[in-house]
Amino acid sequence: MNHGDWVHEAARLRPRTAAFVDGDWLEAKSGKTFADVNPATGHPVAHVAECGRNEIDAAVAAARRAFEDGRWSGSRRPSARNGC
């Protein structure tokens, strides 16, 4: 592919705009979004979910569960990670 082909393909991309929390895509409960801006061009790439307290609490709780049950490290028990 040449440069023009890549530019054409990139223009067709439609990135997901919801938050990925605990294996699911979630829209902000408020319905609000904000522009995700390409720093190289200053142009918006997409408008993504503007998560609030509820979404943040859900994400932190999911991260805590993943930490405690060991799926993030391949270890099944937190006590097995004490040597980290």
Side-chain angles (χ1 to χ4, degrees):
M1 292 178 66
N2 64 34
H3 182 280
D5 294 334
W6 284 110
V7 169
H8 176 72
E9 288 300 312
R12 293 180 40 207
L13 291 176
R14 297 294 174 256
R16 291 207 177 208
T17 58
F20 191 67
V21 176
D22 203 18
D24 292 316
W25 292 98
L26 304 175
E27 297 295 336
K29 291 188 189 303
S30 68
K32 293 180 181 178
T33 62
F34 68 93
D36 178 24
V37 176
N38 178 337
T41 65
H43 294 103
V45 175
H47 282 79
V48 298
E50 185 177 315
C51 295
R53 179 180 293 260
N54 292 333
E55 294 85 5
I56 293 167
D57 288 346
V60 170
R64 172 54 63 185
R65 285 191 303 277
F67 177 80
E68 293 298 333
D69 71 19
R71 71 186 111 140
W72 68 275
S73 69
S75 171
R76 301 312 295 160
R77 297 176 47 85
S79 61
R81 296 191 299 268
N82 288 340
C84 293

